[in-house]
DNA sequence: CGTACGTTTGATCTTTCTCAATAATGGTGG
DNA sequence: CCACCATTATTGAGAAAGATCAAACGTACG
């Protein structure tokens, strides 16, 4: 929060890809515009022709698509510091929408400025490839989650993912966190109904895996929660995960 | 099939991203090794440290992950001409496995050679970003498919996607194609059971949307199949899709 | 020609959905 | 500050999609 938006962007890229000082300066020199938007605002809608790429500075957002029948699937949750819109840097029509979960500050960077930067500085291109590959890895895990896990594991899994990603950005601890989603949104993220999400949440609480007051989730048994979630953080490709991944095997 | 593996790779990159003649020559000069492997062979397993990136020259493959309970989720199907392993170019541990669906020829390119190429030639980096973004878009659609569509729509959708992707590579027509998957694999791709896949397939046939003898699927009513699938090819980001997307709205 | 794999079918069971109603909670205007 | 309203959360009862279990039937291939 105490960093400028471009410093957050830089830190994110650097956390998995080395960048030179020149690369650093080029990123910090990027033109951008800050905006504060209310919860529920759309950053981009499916079918839009994008003109900017966004960085989420504060607040939360989610990607979503709708089926022809009108039901919604949430595809990922964006947390502060995420570059929301690499898709929009190079794809000409947005294939999904991004909507704000909370009142947020976003930084808009003109599409061309980022395109030029990537063409001028291959190391930044590599960092962008890295980021998009990690995003794809998370999407693969979501396909598994929704396709092959039961309701309880799905909910537990999304809670684990959220906690670990927030912790990696120092926005939460394994103690617990403030979940910025309604149970309906949780349902749309896990391919369930809100009613069932409520029951599963109560079940997790009854079994002592979590405790909650409103949207605040506390992990009363992090180990057991990971186990029922079938959660292994390897797919997040976070720096320093290797020893953990090995230890977990 | 009458192209060299590197020419296929080049053609794929060029189909969505412009490349200069120098870029072209650099790609065609890439070192590579051809291998023929039997159906069922693994190209890479989850947890492996990759040393090569592969191009699927002939044959079919699929990405998959297993849950802790042992069930499998298929994450995507690779068709001839696909670069299978961009993930392995920059991520150090594979987060999923790739297995061959049929006897196939693959071209291995050393990881470092591709890394160097991308660093030396930003336009190729952009083409790679483009490819990975499209792959992510397809994954998002799979999350929707598995999370929010019923069994009939899921099966219909995967058939539509397969047909359109094959057609884009001139490997099939909207008449029909040879499905290289068993019903069990179809089940693992759609988050269903093989028994239910069988029933849905019979239902689609009974309703005149497809006909089939063994694995050969014929589209007897392509329009109706797309409708029940809730299929819109925009997410594939194929060149020349725009007018179709507009016409479909 | 038999063995293994894939497909098909039936019967039953379970998870999750749907519908419906009630209770909290938070925000808003008076 | 309080009453009201709109969301969100919770609970119950019944329905349905899809899973599970089990068996039979094809078909390819060694």
């Amino acid at each position: 929060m105490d960093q400028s938006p471009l410093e957050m962007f830089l830190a994110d890229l650097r956390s998995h890809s080395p960048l030179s000082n020149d690369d650093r300066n080029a990123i910090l020199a990027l033109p951008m515009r800050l905006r504060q938007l209310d919860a529920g605002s759309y950053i981009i809608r499916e079918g839009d022709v994008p003109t900017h790429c966004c960085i989420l500075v504060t607040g939360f957002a989610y990607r979503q698509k709708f089926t022809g029948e009108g039901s919604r699937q949430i595809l990922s949750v964006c947390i502060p510091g995420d570059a929301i819109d690499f898709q929009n840097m190079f794809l000409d029509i947005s294939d999904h929408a991004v909507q704000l979960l909370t009142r947020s500050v976003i930084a808009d960077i003109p599409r061309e400025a980022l395109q030029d930067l990537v063409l001028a500085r291959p190391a930044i291109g590599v960092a962008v490839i890295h980021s998009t590959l990690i995003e794809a890895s998370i999407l693969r895990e979501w396909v598994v989650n929704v396709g092959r896990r039961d309701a309880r594991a799905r909910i537990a899994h999304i809670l684990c993912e959220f906690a670990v990603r927030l912790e990696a950005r120092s926005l939460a601890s394994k103690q617990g966190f403030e979940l910025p989603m309604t149970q309906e949104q949780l349902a749309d993220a896990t391919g369930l109904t809100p009613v069932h999400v409520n029951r599963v949440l109560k079940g997790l609480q009854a079994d002592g895996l979590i405790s909650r007051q409103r949207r605040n989730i506390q992990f009363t048994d992090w180990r057991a929660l990971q186990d029922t979630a079938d959660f292994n953080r390897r797919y997040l490709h976070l720096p320093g995960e290797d020893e953990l991944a090995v230890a977990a095997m």
Side-chain angles (χ1 to χ4, degrees), chain A:
Chain A
M1 303 300 173
D2 48 357
Q3 288 179 306
S4 83
L6 291 172
E7 277 166 352
M8 291 173 72
F9 179 49
L10 177 66
D12 183 31
L13 290 180
R14 273 191 160 168
S15 72
H16 47 248
S17 242
L19 292 177
S20 70
N21 271 332
D22 282 354
D23 293 328
R24 171 183 166 278
N25 293 333
I27 286 173
L28 294 180
L30 238 22
M32 62 132 194
R33 183 184 46 148
L34 285 177
R35 284 190 291 164
Q36 183 167 58
L37 294 172
D38 286 331
S41 304
Y42 278 88
I43 294 187
I44 194 163
R45 289 172 194 268
E46 187 172 346
D48 277 1
V49 175
T51 58
H52 291 77
C53 296
C54 294
I55 297 161
L56 188 58
V57 181
T58 64
F60 294 86
Y62 54 94
R63 299 172 194 287
Q64 63 184 352
K65 288 184 91 156
F66 291 88
T67 68
E69 303 224 297
S71 57
R72 171 175 70 170
Q73 177 67 45
I74 290 179
L75 304 160
S76 70
V77 178
C78 306
I79 68 176
D82 277 348
I84 299 186
D85 262 334
F86 282 140
Q87 7 302 343
N88 297 337
M89 197 187 315
F90 290 108
L91 298 181
D92 294 328
I93 299 183
S94 180
D95 53 69
H96 66 284
V98 180
Q99 195 173 11
L100 292 182
L101 218 31
T102 62
R103 185 170 181 79
S104 304
V105 174
I106 62 168
D108 286 315
I109 302 174
R111 190 177 137 101
E112 294 75 26
L114 266 172
Q115 287 177 343
D116 292 348
L117 186 69
V118 166
L119 277 171
R121 310 205 142 265
I124 296 179
V126 168
V128 170
I129 293 174
H130 224 114
S131 274
T132 60
L133 289 177
I134 291 172
E135 207 176 308
S137 175
I138 296 176
L139 282 169
R140 281 190 288 272
E141 187 66 33
W142 278 50
V143 175
V144 175
N145 204 37
V146 161
R148 283 295 184 222
R149 286 200 262 259
D150 66 18
R152 162 177 265 244
R154 282 187 217 180
I155 298 287
H157 198 279
I158 201 173
L159 293 178
C160 288
E161 175 180 313
F162 216 60
V164 170
R165 286 176 58 212
L166 287 175
E167 193 185 38
R169 292 258 167 84
S170 308
L171 296 169
S173 74
K174 290 234 178 59
Q175 305 309 303
F177 62 90
E178 193 70 26
L179 186 72
M181 306 171 77
T182 65
Q183 292 181 7
E184 181 171 19
Q185 289 159 342
L186 224 34
D188 285 336
T190 49
L192 300 168
T193 54
V195 171
H196 202 58
V197 167
N198 182 274
R199 288 177 173 138
V200 169
L201 243 20
K202 287 188 54 186
L204 291 173
Q205 187 167 22
D207 296 343
L209 304 193
I210 61 172
S211 77
R212 63 204 168 102
Q213 34 268 320
R214 313 203 26 60
R215 310 254 177 95
N216 185 289
I217 309 282
Q218 296 293 316
F219 300 124
T220 44
D221 191 344
W222 173 246
R223 179 87 250 148
L225 187 69
Q226 275 185 296
D227 286 349
T228 69
D230 183 31
F231 181 80
N232 178 328
R233 54 181 270 168
R234 182 195 285 149
Y235 75 95
L236 294 172
H237 293 280
L238 290 169
E241 92 189 283
D242 298 4
E243 60 276 18
L244 290 166
V246 170
M249 290 185 75

